[in-house]
Amino acid sequence: MRFSGLRVLKEGLTGNRGWTPHWRDPEPKADYDIIIIGGGGHGLSTAYYLAKEHGLTNVAVLEKGYLGGGNVGRNTTIVRANYFLDGNSQFYSHSLKLWEGLEEDLNYNVMHSQRGIINLFHSDGQRDAAARRGNMMLSQGDDAVLLGRDELRDMLLYLNYDNLRFPIYGGLYHPRGGTARHDAVAWGYARGADSRGVDLIQNCEVTGIDISDGRVTGVQTTRGAIRAKKVAMVVAGRSSQVAAMAGMHLPIESHVLQAFVTEGLKPCIDHVVTFGMGHFYISQSDKGGLVFGGDIDFYASYAARGNLPGVESVMEAGVALMPMIGKARVLRSWGGIMDMSPDGSPVIDKTHIDGLYLNCGWNYGGFKAVPGSGHVFAHLIATGQYHENATGFRLDRFRTGRGILDEEGKGSQHNLH
Ligand SMILES: Cc1cc2nc3c(=O)[nH]c(=O)nc-3n(C[C@H](O)[C@H](O)[C@H](O)COP(=O)(O)OP(=O)(O)OC[C@H]3O[C@@H](n4cnc5c(N)ncnc54)[C@H](O)[C@@H]3O)c2cc1C
């Protein structure tokens, strides 16, 4: 089924009776060439690119709940390529380019909106850091504009520029950044993978990974054993638990990140605005709700809901930055489980077990990476070679120090990436 304006018109006039389900609901087969554990954004995009780019369709995605029920449907939808460090900046640049062609590629409206992102700065030192980051983005072929306080005030009238602790000096503007509708991204990739023959199997939790003579041979699930030549673990906040099934101990901590949405309001916030010093960021959804969030909750947890101290710190930062927000009523809040890596960068790698692959460590920023991650991970699984835009995301860097030491320019400091 292809979507088009004409089709929408026809269905609208004929009672919407011609739409078909976006994907099949197959029973798991006894064996596959490739099993992907996790039907989130990264798992689904990996399956899609395996089928589309590499012609590999004897593939199953096993999801313990429903497709898109994890973080891919819980995030605050920011898409950007404003990373600083070598390795990360190429990768996110690659991902943003895929975003820009995604709707046509998937024939699916993911509501990608390049409304621009502005990262605020509050001191001369921060302005210098923003300029360096902007230069890195420009040299990568992406866009960046350094805005002074007056130019920024013309664009964002509603900010409190004279906050005593963090007066606003300006912002780094990334016009190609923006948002996309998160669950539509999961649905679009799911539909694209399914239509190429990938089996998407929901309510199928992986409970064990079968290994024989150093090679993966399949998985145990709540719907029986399934054999496979290759298995990819793509389970975000559950990465440590699933990798433990293969006897692996990952340097990943799972933490809760909360987000909030207000009642629908008339358009008032045109961009995505981030206030790093206060740990607060905000955008306005197409339905009018102000969507905002802040830092992770301050304890490790597998609960997909947060605690009140996290709520309080986000609300305080929001009111400090834009006092007008105090008048809006919060409708809902929720949480997701973040797979925090020690250096803030992901892992896209093979493991020491033949045929077993790992994709994790997306921290609080993996939504924007969904196209890029699936694309480069599919390349790795299909060819055995690292994609040129993802050579640095090796698991052994935490053991050897290679790639995260300061002299190599990466920096092990989490928020530098
Ligand atoms: C509140 C919040 C705000 C965020 N904001 C942003 C943002 O603005 N921009 C951005 O880029 N990123 C953001 N993120 C981060 C982003 O959402 C995640 O990094 C990304 O979605 C993680 O990858 P995923 O989509 O594959 O994860 P998930 O959607 O969590 O997919 C993993 C899947 O694996 C499944 N699974 C787990 N264990 C098993 C098992 N044993 N068997 C079978 N299936 C299993 C889970 O059910 C889940 O569906 C945010 C996250 C949250 C929670």
Side-chain angles (χ1 to χ4, degrees):
M1 181 179 67
R2 279 196 68 75
F3 289 109
S4 68
L6 270 181
R7 182 75 194 259
V8 171
L9 190 67
K10 181 179 163 230
E11 292 296 337
L13 295 173
T14 55
N16 284 306
R17 282 189 294 270
W19 302 119
T20 53
H22 276 19
W23 53 82
R24 298 162 296 129
D25 188 17
E27 283 300 312
K29 294 194 290 192
D31 64 286
Y32 289 92
D33 290 338
I34 302 169
I35 281 178
I36 293 169
I37 311 175
H42 294 249
L44 292 167
S45 64
T46 303
Y48 173 76
Y49 292 114
L50 278 171
K52 180 181 174 240
E53 306 277 321
H54 305 281
L56 297 171
T57 55
N58 188 20
V59 175
V61 177
L62 308 183
E63 166 54 48
K64 72 173 180 173
Y66 60 94
L67 295 181
N71 294 315
V72 71
R74 292 168 176 267
N75 61 73
T76 40
T77 80
I78 301 172
V79 172
R80 57 187 167 89
N82 56 358
Y83 280 66
F84 174 59
L85 295 176
D86 189 29
N88 277 315
S89 68
Q90 292 95 318
F91 170 77
Y92 287 100
S93 183
H94 177 60
S95 196
L96 184 57
K97 291 187 189 99
L98 289 169
W99 275 106
E100 289 171 334
L102 193 62
E103 293 179 329
E104 281 186 24
D105 187 21
L106 297 177
N107 175 234
Y108 205 77
N109 182 7
V110 302
M111 296 167 72
H112 183 210
S113 154
Q114 292 187 291
R115 61 186 65 180
I117 290 186
I118 298 168
N119 288 355
L120 303 175
F121 50 81
H122 310 270
S123 66
D124 291 335
Q126 281 199 324
R127 180 193 292 118
D128 291 349
R132 282 183 70 203
R133 180 178 291 266
N135 285 334
M136 188 67 188
M137 291 156 65
L138 291 173
S139 71
Q140 189 55 51
D142 293 314
D143 58 349
V145 184
L146 197 67
L147 299 172
R149 181 180 162 105
D150 292 340
E151 294 159 287
L152 190 66
R153 199 192 283 269
D154 286 344
M155 289 170 74
L156 309 178
L157 277 171
Y158 49 83
L159 300 183
N160 175 9
Y161 285 80
D162 299 314
N163 181 303
L164 280 183
R165 191 158 173 221
F166 298 120
I168 298 172
Y169 276 43
L172 182 63
Y173 179 34
H174 172 35
R176 280 167 63 224
T179 58
R181 174 151 181 206
H182 46 16
D183 31 28
V185 174
W187 300 334
Y189 273 117
R191 174 174 170 270
D194 172 87
S195 69
R196 286 171 168 80
V198 172
D199 282 356
L200 307 175
I201 299 167
Q202 306 184 72
N203 299 313
C204 182
E205 178 171 358
V206 171
T207 53
I209 297 180
D210 297 332
I211 298 158
S212 170
D213 293 333
R215 249 212 92 72
V216 75
T217 56
V219 295
Q220 299 293 322
T221 80
T222 46
R223 294 174 68 173
I226 310 178
R227 289 189 302 278
K229 297 183 188 71
K230 294 180 180 177
V231 173
M233 302 180 284
V234 202
V235 290
R238 299 281 173 182
S239 296
S240 309
Q241 292 175 325
V242 172
M245 296 175 195
M248 293 174 66
H249 180 67
L250 296 185
I252 296 286
E253 271 192 15
S254 291
H255 283 257
V256 186
L257 179 65
Q258 303 191 58
F260 308 84
V261 66
T262 69
E263 60 194 330
L265 302 170
K266 287 190 175 160
C268 54
I269 297 185
D270 296 338
H271 308 87
V272 181
V273 182
T274 74
F275 172 35
M277 295 310 290
H279 288 300
F280 177 84
Y281 63 92
I282 189 163
S283 66
Q284 188 165 18
S285 79
D286 295 280
K287 285 194 286 186
L290 304 182
V291 180
F292 56 94
D295 205 356
I296 51 175
D297 280 20
F298 307 109
Y299 52 93
S301 170
Y302 288 109
R305 60 177 184 276
N307 254 344
L308 284 174
V311 179
E312 195 175 13
S313 84
V314 172
M315 300 300 161
E316 272 176 10
V319 173
L321 179 68
M322 44 177 78
M324 70 169 189
I325 201 178
K327 291 188 178 168
R329 278 173 293 204
V330 173
L331 273 191
R332 281 184 293 122
S333 70
W334 63 92
I337 313 167
M338 306 293 86
D339 40 339
M340 305 299 292
S341 67
D343 64 354
S345 297
V347 173
I348 303 178
D349 208 350
K350 308 167 191 174
T351 68
H352 66 287
I353 298 161
D354 261 2
L356 184 65
Y357 298 81
L358 177 64
N359 179 315
C360 68
W362 292 102
N363 297 267
Y364 33 67
F367 177 63
K368 70 183 83 67
V370 162
S373 160
H375 193 254
V376 302
F377 196 40
H379 178 90
L380 177 65
I381 295 169
T383 67
Q385 307 296 318
Y386 297 100
H387 189 279
E388 58 177 347
N389 290 313
T391 52
F393 303 144
R394 309 288 297 275
L395 178 59
D396 71 355
R397 69 184 187 269
F398 302 111
R399 185 165 44 80
T400 63
R402 204 180 323 119
I404 56 171
L405 298 176
D406 282 345
E407 56 265 37
E408 292 184 49
K410 298 266 199 284
S412 51
Q413 195 182 328
H414 191 270
N415 58 4
L416 254 189
H417 56 84

